Amino acid sequence: MTTPFEIDPAFQAGSAHAVDWPLCQVRLQDDARFPWLILIPARPGLHELEDLTGPERAALMEEVVRAGAVVRGLGEAVQRPVRKLNVAALGNVTAQLHLHVVGRRPDDGLWPDPVWGRGAAVRYGPAALQAAVSRIRLSRAG
């Protein structure tokens, strides 16, 4: 019997499901300081990139590039253009394989430092969260 794909509860607590792409579930990090997506390959039991097949790794890279375009669009929607995309697969806190795609700007308050573990998240309000998720779903890249 195959183990079903499940999202780690930490993702459910700190992000919102936006859309499902061919490989990944795409989630919006609930931190309005940054346009920030999390890509979680929808396969059970993954912890490292090496757990994916070769074609899945290639698909993941394509989805990372796609997510970058969405992140740039989220920044433009609130008149805060993204200057640099940060892409990372850390997994120190949540072991489930996932990649962060974060839009950064020199005026974002943490520039040029990393975003992880720096300052408290600024949660979206319900309407703003739903609007951002809708933008992700409607984006041409999404």
Side-chain angles (χ1 to χ4, degrees), residues 83-114:
R83 179 164 171 204
K84 178 71 177 120
L85 291 171
N86 291 175
V87 177
L90 301 174
N92 297 343
V93 174
T94 306
Q96 182 174 27
L97 180 61
H98 63 285
L99 278 80
H100 298 269
V101 181
V102 186
R104 301 297 308 276
R105 326 174 299 286
D107 66 345
D108 70 22
L110 289 180
W111 182 274
D113 295 333

Side-chain angles (χ1 to χ4, degrees), residues 51-100:
D51 296 336
L52 294 167
T53 66
E56 288 171 333
R57 285 192 299 270
L60 179 59
M61 186 55 61
E62 290 302 315
E63 290 187 8
V64 165
V65 171
R66 186 178 180 185
V70 173
V71 163
R72 288 186 189 282
L74 288 171
E76 290 170 9
V78 293
Q79 285 74 48
R80 295 185 300 191
V82 170
R83 179 164 171 204
K84 178 71 177 120
L85 291 171
N86 291 175
V87 177
L90 301 174
N92 297 343
V93 174
T94 306
Q96 182 174 27
L97 180 61
H98 63 285
L99 278 80
H100 298 269

Side-chain angles (χ1 to χ4, degrees), residues 3-69:
T3 304
F5 168 70
E6 295 180 6
I7 295 292
D8 186 288
F11 293 120
Q12 294 173 355
S15 64
H17 177 259
V19 67
D20 292 317
W21 288 346
L23 178 65
C24 293
Q25 182 176 112
V26 179
R27 301 186 68 86
L28 174 67
Q29 181 73 15
D30 193 2
D31 188 345
R33 297 177 300 167
F34 313 99
W36 183 342
L37 297 181
I38 302 170
L39 304 180
I40 306 171
R43 306 288 187 271
L46 300 179
H47 295 100
E48 302 292 344
L49 290 169
E50 65 199 35
D51 296 336
L52 294 167
T53 66
E56 288 171 333
R57 285 192 299 270
L60 179 59
M61 186 55 61
E62 290 302 315
E63 290 187 8
V64 165
V65 171
R66 186 178 180 185

